Amino acid sequence: MLSVRTGPATSQISEENNTKLKKQSALSACGKDKSPKKASENGKDSSLSPSGQTQLRARQLALVREVEMNWYLKLCDLSSECTVASTTGMPHRNLGKSGLRVSCLGLGTWVTFGGQISDEVAERLMTIAYESGINLFDTAEVYAAGKAEVILGSVIKKKGWRRSSLVITTKLYWGGKAETERGLSRKHIIEEIVRAMTHVINQGMAMYWGTSRWSAMEIMEAYSVARQFNMIPPVCEQAEYHLFQREKVEVQLPELYHKIGVGAMTWSPLACGIISGKYGNGVPESSRASLKCYQWLKERIVSEEGRKQQNKLKDLSPIAERLGCTLPQLAVAWCLRNEGVSSVLLGSSTPEQLIENLGAIQVLPKMTSHVVNEIDNILRNKPYSKKDYRS
């Protein structure tokens, strides 16, 4: 269970400017053009394919957001260079079809915070992420038995970052060892999941909620329950997504996005470090796979399938070299090239790793259809939906 907290937004516009903004917004929303409308203006041009209509609507929404942003900046006597996206180069995307804007890269705390790294390194990582334009930080109550959440909050308080500028996501389920300390029953939060998260949001403890590692059927059921009883539905699903794990994000979640607006927040873009290239010649002693509690990862790496994956990574290296990037940067950019992905969560144990992964933003414009096809020809694992088979 994923909950999203953005913090209270404090108004920085004068009452007069706020009134102007409302009037201008009302004008744009209510203004009517009496000239005959073309079918294409409504995104219903019969000559456009469904994907073409989706792209058209996306361009229209982007234009509306640009106009609204220009109004806001003008009213506040600011320039576009003052925005985070302009000063850092970090693109932001909507979380599903909600109005929440998140950086396309986020910082995760699994394994690292409270475990693999010191508190000082954690602070350094958060500082690099924040100064690079990341506004999304992900954690969970189970990470390091709750210590990851504590470290995250302590750094934010110490740095004095505006809470309203951050999006913090946390997950609930594996709370403790006792039966009454875990799960999603009334004893742990509230009995019924959708009703519980609606209560959490109504009480101001979170702004949005989503799911993590749920099936498409479970997400659809939660949405149906929310609509039936006038409650709040989930806005996103956290799913594993990388070069070797594609089915859910590329086939199942796009259908949910178009039907009910659920977006994808993906994690493990480097497949727990497998795609980093450090396991090409075995398992280094300082790596995650060498840890006692990650024996399963070591077994995956040394398996026959793991060796095949390492060979494919070697075949991908020339593409990365041609694009002027590292293999990890190519892998992260490959995840970002999927327009259905709202944000990719990075997990880094050193500042150098994080800085390298952030460089994927510069690689993203180079991810042309030709490059993506090259990668698909090497991986040979592109999933196909039922629609693809019918066509």
Side-chain angles (χ1 to χ4, degrees):
M1 185 65 56
L2 176 74
S3 67
V4 184
R5 180 71 172 154
T6 61
T10 55
S11 176
Q12 297 180 357
I13 321 176
S14 65
E15 186 65 31
E16 179 182 357
N17 285 342
N18 193 31
T19 303
K20 291 181 181 178
L21 181 60
K22 289 180 180 178
K23 288 181 178 179
Q24 290 172 321
S25 299
L27 181 61
S28 69
C30 302
K32 296 182 179 180
D33 184 359
K34 296 183 179 180
S35 60
K37 291 186 177 180
K38 298 179 182 180
S40 60
E41 291 178 352
N42 292 322
K44 299 180 180 179
D45 192 337
S46 58
S47 64
L48 290 176
S49 64
S51 61
Q53 292 180 9
T54 300
Q55 293 175 358
L56 177 61
R57 287 194 293 271
R59 287 195 295 269
Q60 291 172 338
L61 288 173
L63 180 59
V64 170
R65 285 197 296 268
E66 182 179 354
V67 171
E68 291 177 343
M69 176 60 73
N70 289 336
W71 276 342
Y72 179 84
L73 293 173
K74 185 176 180 181
L75 290 173
C76 296
D77 293 326
L78 298 173
S79 65
S80 59
E81 287 73 21
C82 296
T83 62
V84 172
S86 296
T87 56
T88 65
M90 176 65 67
H92 287 64
R93 299 175 178 177
N94 279 56
L95 186 58
K97 291 187 179 180
S98 74
L100 182 61
R101 300 283 287 173
V102 295
S103 52
C104 69
L105 291 178
L107 182 64
T109 60
W110 179 43
V111 181
T112 52
F113 282 43
Q116 194 176 8
I117 63 176
S118 66
D119 293 2
E120 291 74 20
V121 174
E123 180 180 341
R124 178 62 178 149
L125 292 175
M126 287 186 63
T127 302
I128 293 172
Y130 182 81
E131 292 177 350
S132 299
I134 286 180
N135 72 346
L136 173 61
F137 295 88
D138 177 75
T139 186
E141 62 172 356
V142 72
Y143 293 172
K147 191 176 179 182
E149 288 183 323
V150 174
I151 295 173
L152 186 70
S154 298
V155 173
I156 293 173
K157 183 177 181 179
K158 179 180 178 181
K159 291 290 183 178
W161 293 334
R162 286 182 298 109
R163 185 61 187 83
S164 58
S165 68
L166 303 175
V167 178
I168 309 298
T169 60
T170 190
K171 292 173 286 296
L172 311 172
Y173 187 85
W174 303 104
K177 295 181 180 180
E179 286 297 319
T180 55
E181 294 176 332
R182 52 193 170 95
L184 295 170
S185 66
R186 183 179 295 273
K187 175 68 178 178
H188 187 59
I189 315 178
I190 298 182
E191 183 176 1
E192 197 267 334
I193 295 175
V194 180
R195 193 178 302 279
M197 298 315 297
T198 299
H199 173 78
V200 167
I201 292 173
N202 288 338
Q203 293 298 311
M205 292 181 279
M207 303 300 291
Y208 301 86
W209 78 277
T211 58
S212 180
R213 306 181 75 173
W214 280 29
S215 68
M217 184 178 297
E218 289 170 329
I219 298 172
M220 196 68 202
E221 183 179 352
Y223 176 85
S224 299
V225 168
R227 285 291 175 250
Q228 180 179 358
F229 297 104
N230 194 30
M231 293 186 289
I232 301 172
V235 299
C236 69
E237 157 68 7
Q238 266 196 14
E240 183 178 4
Y241 184 49
H242 50 74
L243 295 169
F244 304 122
Q245 183 82 19
R246 307 177 58 174
E247 174 79 22
K248 184 175 184 178
V249 173
E250 295 187 11
V251 175
Q252 300 175 20
L253 292 187
E255 294 185 10
L256 287 178
Y257 174 79
H258 292 299
K259 288 180 179 178
I260 61 177
V262 170
M265 185 186 297
T266 67
W267 50 276
S268 198
L270 302 183
C272 294
I274 292 176
I275 301 175
S276 67
K278 60 185 175 185
Y279 297 117
N281 298 315
V283 180
E285 291 185 3
S286 59
S287 65
R288 180 182 301 182
S290 66
L291 300 177
K292 192 173 182 179
C293 57
Y294 284 89
Q295 185 65 27
W296 59 269
L297 179 58
K298 182 178 181 179
E299 293 175 356
R300 181 193 297 181
I301 293 170
V302 300
S303 67
E304 181 180 353
E305 181 62 26
R307 290 193 293 271
K308 290 180 180 179
Q309 291 177 350
Q310 290 300 321
N311 290 331
K312 290 181 178 180
L313 293 176
K314 291 178 181 178
D315 293 336
L316 289 173
S317 295
I319 298 178
E321 293 176 5
R322 191 175 75 241
L323 297 180
C325 66
T326 64
L327 190 57
Q329 289 173 337
L330 177 67
V332 175
W334 178 87
C335 294
L336 286 174
R337 110 282 175 207
N338 187 333
E339 295 181 353
V341 173
S342 299
S343 187
V344 175
L345 299 176
L346 303 175
S348 303
S349 57
T350 66
E352 291 76 19
Q353 288 179 355
L354 179 57
I355 292 172
E356 177 186 2
N357 293 341
L358 288 170
I361 296 298
Q362 281 68 49
V363 184
L364 183 57
K366 302 177 184 179
M367 296 299 293
T368 62
S369 58
H370 175 70
V371 172
V372 173
N373 288 334
E374 276 190 279
I375 295 174
D376 283 337
N377 290 334
I378 293 174
L379 297 177
R380 297 187 176 279
N381 64 352
K382 182 178 180 180
Y384 291 95
S385 64
K386 295 179 180 179
K387 294 180 180 179
D388 295 324
Y389 285 118
R390 285 198 296 267
S391 60

